[in-house]
């Protein structure tokens, strides 16, 4: 008796082995943009830098929608062992999954707590049963608090009270 794998166990095979594209079709990808450490952290300038990236997904039949995370996803895929220039289709699939996840979490967060507002506590509440996500969010929130305290101490030391 065969049991279908859980969603967490499924992998996106479009980037694993390189038999793609099938039937000798030409590989389509955007011009190479090497991943630099500065691109891996922070979101500063993300939307200005990606303004020239037109995506492959449709947005309600009104043409191609702008891809918001393609550069970051390419760098993450490369960091996790994919080719430096992964297939555009693979990046687009991952971006669709990320956007779908963010949208669902935002809608759920808006429906609990204060109606129409998303707060950090709502997101923490939603992921409380997923130990990996919960631990990561807890680490990020702790680090954020430490950075706030360090900035405050630095400002007080420099500008003295």
């Amino acid at each position: 008796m065969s049991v279908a794998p859980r969603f967490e166990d499924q992998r996106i095979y479009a980037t694993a082995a390189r038999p793609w594209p099938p039937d000798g079709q030409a590989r389509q990808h955007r011009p190479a943009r090497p991943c630099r450490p500065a691109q891996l952290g922070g979101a500063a300038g993300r939307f200005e830098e990606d303004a020239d990236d037109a995506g492959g997904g449709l947005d309600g039949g009104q043409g191609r929608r702008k891809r918001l995370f393609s550069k970051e996803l390419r760098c993450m895929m490369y960091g996790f062992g994919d080719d430096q220039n992964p297939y555009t289709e693979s990046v687009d699939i991952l971006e669709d999954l990320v956007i779908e996840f963010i949208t669902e979490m935002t809608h759920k967060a808006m429906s609990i707590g204060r109606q129409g507002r998303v707060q950090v506590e709502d997101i923490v509440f939603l992921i409380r049963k997923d130990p990996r996500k919960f631990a990561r969010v807890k680490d990020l929130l702790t680090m954020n608090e430490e950075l706030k305290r360090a900035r405050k101490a630095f400002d007080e030391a420099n500008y003295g009270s």
Side-chain angles (χ1 to χ4, degrees):
M1 179 174 164
S2 147
V3 177
R6 294 186 333 248
F7 179 73
E8 298 88 33
D9 296 336
Q10 295 176 354
R11 303 287 186 254
I12 298 174
Y13 292 104
T15 60
R18 291 289 185 199
W20 280 87
D23 302 327
Q25 297 171 353
R27 178 179 172 188
Q28 299 174 357
H29 61 84
R30 296 185 184 112
R33 291 185 185 174
C35 295
R36 291 182 223 104
Q39 291 176 329
L40 297 178
R46 172 185 303 148
F47 299 110
E48 291 82 15
E49 291 173 359
D50 287 343
D52 61 341
D53 287 343
L58 293 178
D59 186 18
Q62 296 177 357
R64 301 169 77 80
R65 70 178 168 91
K66 187 170 101 172
R67 294 291 180 174
L68 299 174
F69 306 111
S70 62
K71 188 183 300 183
E72 289 82 2
L73 287 173
R74 286 176 188 276
C75 291
M76 288 176 67
M77 290 170 71
Y78 179 63
F80 281 101
D82 200 343
D83 191 54
Q84 188 167 7
N85 294 315
Y87 290 128
T88 302
E89 295 84 7
S90 301
V91 177
D92 291 347
I93 288 171
L94 279 178
E95 185 161 5
D96 289 341
L97 291 172
V98 167
I99 290 173
E100 180 181 339
F101 175 78
I102 292 171
T103 303
E104 286 179 11
M105 290 295 285
T106 304
H107 284 283
K108 288 178 185 177
M110 288 176 70
S111 67
I112 63 173
R114 290 183 62 186
Q115 292 292 324
R117 293 198 62 180
V118 177
Q119 296 179 331
V120 174
E121 295 81 18
D122 299 335
I123 302 294
V124 173
F125 177 79
L126 289 172
I127 62 163
R128 71 192 184 282
K129 293 182 181 178
D130 188 338
R132 294 175 106 187
K133 289 178 188 167
F134 184 76
R136 180 66 176 151
V137 166
K138 194 168 80 171
D139 288 344
L140 289 172
L141 290 173
T142 304
M143 185 64 66
N144 189 33
E145 289 300 318
E146 290 177 14
L147 287 171
K148 282 182 183 178
R149 276 182 267 153
R151 279 190 208 109
K152 184 177 179 182
F154 181 76
D155 288 343
E156 288 177 358
N158 278 352
Y159 304 112
S161 294

